[in-house]
């Protein structure tokens, strides 16, 4: 199945940092929309409230989707 990255609100859920994690860094998005790569160790040590106080609003998480969903994303959504 194809994989995509979606932004997930840090206020709702901290970035998933399972062990072992497939990446050395996690991508965080700040309140200006700029993407930053932060080491997993720093994310775990910092915590949710501190990440939000520093201006980070979202993290990017990899999600598996079906081909149909990928086609809808490429087309810009579904006709409802």
């Amino acid at each position: 199945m194809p994989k995509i990255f979606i932004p997930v609100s840090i206020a709702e859920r901290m970035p998933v940092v399972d062990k072992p994690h497939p990446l050395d860094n996690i991508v965080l998005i700040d309140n200006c929309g700029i993407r930053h790569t932060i080491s997993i160790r720093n994310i775990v040590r910092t915590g949710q409230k501190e990440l939000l106080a520093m201006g980070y609003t979202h993290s990017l998480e990899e999600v598996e989707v079906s081909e149909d969903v990928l086609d809808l994303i490429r087309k810009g959504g579904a006709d409802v």
Side-chain angles (χ1 to χ4, degrees):
M1 291 182 94
K3 296 180 181 181
I4 61 170
F5 287 90
I6 60 168
V8 176
S9 172
I10 293 174
E12 294 177 21
R13 186 167 59 101
M14 275 291 285
V16 177
V17 286
D18 297 335
K19 294 189 180 193
H21 196 276
L23 305 172
D24 293 331
N25 297 306
I26 300 285
V27 177
L28 297 180
I29 303 171
D30 67 17
N31 52 11
C32 295
I34 299 172
R35 296 176 182 193
H36 306 265
T37 56
I38 310 291
S39 73
I40 292 173
R41 182 175 47 97
N42 286 339
I43 290 173
V44 171
R45 186 174 55 201
T46 303
Q48 182 179 27
K49 288 182 182 179
E50 290 81 7
L51 288 174
L52 291 169
M54 289 188 286
Y56 295 114
T57 58
H58 293 80
S59 65
L60 290 182
E61 290 192 14
E62 189 176 50
V63 179
E64 287 187 4
V65 295
S66 69
E67 291 291 337
D68 294 338
V69 171
L70 192 58
D71 288 340
L72 286 175
I73 292 169
R74 287 181 181 147
K75 293 177 184 173
D79 296 329
V80 180

